[in-house]
Amino acid sequence: MTQPIFILPEDYKRTLGKDAQRNNIMAAKQVAEAVRTTLGPKGMDKMLVDSLGDITITNDGVTILEEMGIEHPAAKMIVEVAKTQETQVGDGTTTAVTFVGELLKNAESLLDKEIHPTVITKGYRLAAEKSQEILDQLAEKITEKDEDILKKIAITAMTGKGAESAKEKLAEIAIKAIKQVIEEDKTINLDNIKLEKKTGNGVSDTELIQGIVLDKERVHSGMPKKVEKAKIALINSALEIKSTETDAKISISDPSQLQKFIEQEEEMLKEMANKIIKSKAKIVICQKGIDDLVQHFLAKEGIYAVRRAKKSDLEKLARATNAKIINNLNEITEDYLGEATAEEKIINDEGMTFITDCKNPKAVTIIIRGGTEHVVDEVERAIRDALGDISATLKTEKATAGAGSIEIELSLRLREYANKLSGREQLAVLAFADSLEIIPRTLAENSGFDPIDVLTELKSAHEKNKWAGLDVFTGKIVDAWEQGIIEPLRIKTQAIKSASEVAELILRIDDVIASSGGKDDTSQTHPGMPGMPEM
Ligand code: ADP
Ligand code: MG
């Protein structure tokens, strides 16, 4: 007998060949299964409770996956698909994850038929490439002027989310906001649209504000409630004297010394206020604290000041008002100041600061309202989806109908394409085409209709109409475009691209070598190399 050779340290786990593949596929399928029930307007919500007991209720794919804290390496790759989808398009995360799960499930059947993984990955790649081409042909052209369609896109994005009751109004707000921030070259920076949440009142009280809204009140009641068209200073250093961080001791031996010390501090604070007053700024937004005494001096001069503003808000204000952020109060000169109007308004019993009349009109805020924190959070996600979808549509100027219509049409065309291929890749392209059906099938399942009936009807309707889709509210097959169920093409192209890439990546793995220094994965692994010494 030959002596076994150990190439790995003892505490490494190794999974090889088919086992590695099956484990990875199983983990990926589990992730997909977890979010699948949330797909579509009638999809269910998930309640996520974190270790601190905080609750999130959502049906947003990426939020669910992030909160789940998934640890299996292949499952994590699926989460990455969702994240890519979120950053690239801002919507369609559940679609992408559901699709990748199905791609892997169908790959498993091919593996069972002894088809080699490299053949499957090649077929998947061919199909994914062809899909991009077909999708481009199927899509309809949409421009900024097609407001009606854009509104339908926004509404489709929000249907079934917490925003349901006010989706018309929210869609209009989203379109208006995008139109404000779109550049001449069609680029859209969604960072220019600030979302500020405030509980109280109903979702329909959500409004669009020209300017930046800060969730802060003016720092001193003696300050004016409104300062119109005035100079604004953005300061990120403290307007107070911080207690020394090192352990310094000041010994004072007689009362006059103490008095002197206090006077000196006051002098320094007064100096700070004076620098601001001299600069002629009438609005001060400070990222740090403002001492009572400084507040008093500023109030006396009729200056409107806010303390502890967020850094990101300071940056937004800089863009909006053309002010430069001041790091050191000694630098303060007129050059650093911008121009704006500041006003405190009471919303739900709390003061908020509205900075309006900004030089740059590309600064807007959507104040999101809703009865409870959970509602407001879910409405925020819905609005983000709508903003993402409108901006994705305008970027490529292409849209497609949803409700499963595009997936069925693409699937049929891929089958035609597969018939022209020879060899075993054909089987993989067909598996890819089958996988697309998971979207309409899941929409049907999640709305309580028979998936087999729906798919049969859909396929026959597609002989005449490429936009035949499932109305999840009635169970009827409808023209999804006419029904206004419209989505940006990019949701689909991106979902297919990243889903197929990750499926290929996972299928190509035949060896998992894991240090057990990390966490144990969910699958059972083999006990490393044969002949490992028992300890
Ligand atoms: P995702 O995270 O993938 O965006 P959603 O829960 O937003 O998941 O569901 C999107 C799916 O729901 C898309 O396939 C879309 O076409 C479909 N959909 C949206 N509105 C409707 C509707 N009114 N009827 C049928 N399907 C719809
Ligand atoms: Mg969506």
Side-chain angles (χ1 to χ4, degrees):
M1 238 179 68
T2 51
Q3 193 68 23
I5 298 167
F6 305 113
I7 57 167
L8 289 173
E10 266 169 44
D11 57 348
Y12 273 63
K13 277 189 181 169
R14 186 160 186 198
T15 324
L16 270 165
K18 284 216 170 100
D19 288 318
Q21 247 154 16
R22 299 298 157 124
N23 283 342
N24 285 340
I25 291 176
M26 189 136 62
K29 277 195 326 199
Q30 271 180 28
V31 177
E33 207 52 46
V35 295
R36 201 167 85 90
T37 54
T38 69
L39 185 79
K42 295 191 96 184
M44 291 292 169
D45 292 349
K46 303 240 175 231
M47 182 190 256
L48 304 155
V49 186
D50 70 12
S51 53
L52 295 172
D54 283 340
I55 296 171
T56 310
I57 297 171
T58 182
N59 69 18
D60 185 62
V62 102
T63 311
I64 296 168
L65 294 173
E66 272 175 354
E67 298 277 324
M68 275 167 71
I70 287 168
E71 281 179 352
H72 187 284
K76 272 189 180 162
M77 288 166 74
I78 308 291
V79 179
E80 287 305 313
V81 172
K83 285 193 187 154
T84 312
Q85 185 77 19
E86 181 72 13
T87 50
Q88 294 290 315
V89 194
D91 192 12
T93 51
T94 315
T95 304
V97 171
T98 305
F99 183 54
V100 73
E102 193 68 4
L103 279 178
L104 288 166
K105 182 174 151 212
N106 287 332
E108 206 174 18
S109 320
L110 294 178
L111 290 171
D112 286 340
K113 290 181 197 146
E114 302 293 332
I115 293 174
H116 196 269
T118 55
V119 177
I120 304 174
T121 54
K122 180 158 178 228
Y124 276 10
R125 187 150 359 105
L126 286 173
E129 279 163 13
K130 190 72 189 172
S131 298
Q132 302 293 332
E133 194 185 311
I134 298 171
L135 285 172
D136 206 55
Q137 288 164 7
L138 290 174
E140 314 271 357
K141 172 117 178 132
I142 298 297
T143 69
E144 212 182 323
K145 292 191 195 82
D146 301 307
E147 260 196 51
D148 238 28
I149 307 267
L150 291 178
K151 194 169 160 192
K152 286 171 181 164
I153 290 172
I155 288 177
T156 303
M158 292 187 288
T159 308
K161 308 276 157 79
E164 197 66 20
S165 56
K167 57 186 181 182
E168 287 270 336
K169 182 169 181 201
L170 296 181
E172 275 162 22
I173 288 178
I175 291 170
K176 247 200 197 154
I178 294 272
K179 288 208 157 171
Q180 291 254 323
V181 304
I182 191 167
E183 309 275 349
E184 269 172 35
D185 63 357
K186 300 259 181 284
T187 53
I188 296 166
N189 182 0
L190 290 180
D191 282 344
N192 281 332
I193 303 173
K194 181 169 190 252
L195 302 184
E196 188 64 62
K197 295 179 281 188
K198 198 88 200 159
T199 49
N201 282 18
V203 177
S204 59
D205 295 307
T206 297
E207 56 181 333
L208 180 70
I209 307 291
Q210 309 292 326
I212 309 278
V213 178
L214 308 172
D215 192 7
K216 298 272 178 226
E217 52 192 7
R218 67 198 202 287
V219 67
H220 189 284
S221 58
M223 291 176 173
K225 282 206 162 159
K226 183 172 187 182
V227 176
E228 242 171 309
K229 298 214 169 99
K231 298 275 179 215
I232 176 169
L234 310 175
I235 302 174
N236 83 357
S237 62
L239 299 180
E240 59 193 351
I241 297 168
K242 272 195 241 148
S243 49
T244 44
E245 272 163 29
T246 46
D247 264 338
K249 227 188 243 161
I250 302 166
S251 9
I252 291 166
S253 47
D254 73 278
S256 71
Q257 266 182 328
L258 178 64
Q259 190 55 32
K260 216 167 158 196
F261 181 71
I262 293 172
E263 275 168 16
Q264 227 166 32
E265 262 202 7
E266 281 181 7
E267 205 46 51
M268 281 164 78
L269 291 167
K270 196 169 179 185
E271 189 55 29
M272 280 183 187
N274 275 340
K275 279 178 192 152
I276 294 169
I277 293 164
K278 256 210 233 134
S279 78
K280 299 213 169 61
K282 287 284 175 204
I283 305 165
V284 173
I285 311 293
C286 181
Q287 200 188 315
K288 309 266 167 60
I290 304 179
D291 189 275
D292 289 354
L293 206 60
V294 178
Q295 290 175 23
H296 165 79
F297 288 127
L298 296 181
K300 244 174 53 185
E301 291 294 318
I303 293 174
Y304 186 114
V306 167
R307 68 174 160 190
R308 304 201 196 286
K310 277 190 242 148
K311 183 163 187 260
S312 60
D313 284 345
L314 230 58
E315 283 159 3
K316 284 197 173 80
L317 283 169
R319 260 196 311 250
T321 64
N322 285 343
K324 287 183 217 142
I325 295 174
I326 297 158
N327 297 308
N328 175 351
L329 207 53
N330 291 325
E331 297 179 338
I332 190 167
T333 56
E334 271 204 84
D335 277 2
Y336 277 84
L337 308 183
E339 230 181 70
T341 294
E343 183 177 8
E344 184 182 282
K345 289 188 189 175
I346 306 295
I347 294 184
N348 200 27
D349 292 339
E350 282 173 59
M352 290 181 104
T353 295
F354 285 57
I355 305 287
T356 52
D357 293 329
C358 299
K359 278 241 170 69
N360 180 359
K362 287 189 185 14
V364 294
T365 305
I366 300 175
I367 302 186
I368 301 169
R369 308 300 307 275
T372 71
E373 215 175 294
H374 296 141
V375 173
V376 180
D377 284 349
E378 190 64 349
V379 172
E380 182 194 8
R381 284 188 281 268
I383 292 184
R384 274 192 205 285
D385 282 355
L387 291 172
D389 280 2
I390 301 166
S391 111
T393 308
L394 294 178
K395 256 179 216 158
T396 55
E397 304 204 316
K398 285 207 162 156
T400 133
S405 65
I406 185 81
E407 286 85 4
I408 290 287
E409 187 65 23
L410 177 58
S411 165
L412 291 171
R413 304 230 180 169
L414 278 177
R415 286 210 176 85
E416 284 168 22
Y417 165 69
N419 288 335
K420 289 184 215 136
L421 295 173
S422 55
R424 296 189 139 198
E425 280 100 38
Q426 188 186 43
L427 294 176
V429 176
L430 287 172
F432 192 100
D434 283 343
S435 305
L436 285 162
E437 289 177 5
I438 190 68
I439 303 301
R441 187 183 315 135
T442 305
L443 286 173
E445 276 174 18
N446 288 355
S447 347
F449 302 111
D450 184 84
I452 299 174
D453 289 352
V454 167
L455 277 178
T456 324
E457 277 182 64
L458 267 179
K459 283 183 196 166
S460 85
H462 270 259
E463 283 166 16
K464 292 198 203 79
N465 183 359
K466 68 174 176 178
W467 295 142
L470 169 71
D471 182 336
V472 292
F473 297 102
T474 62
K476 297 224 167 62
I477 305 300
V478 293
D479 184 312
W481 188 273
E482 263 168 25
Q483 288 284 311
I485 308 165
I486 305 177
E487 297 174 283
L489 179 68
R490 275 201 73 196
I491 287 194
K492 309 298 176 183
T493 50
Q494 181 65 45
I496 286 175
K497 185 166 174 277
S498 38
S500 60
E501 278 172 6
V502 166
E504 283 168 43
L505 215 58
I506 290 178
L507 286 171
R508 238 182 267 130
I509 298 167
D510 77 336
D511 196 350
V512 177
I513 304 159
S515 155
S516 59
K519 300 269 166 41
D520 223 336
D521 65 2
T522 52
S523 56
Q524 67 325 3
T525 36
H526 275 231
M529 303 290 288
M532 213 60 121
E534 296 275 329
M535 298 295 291

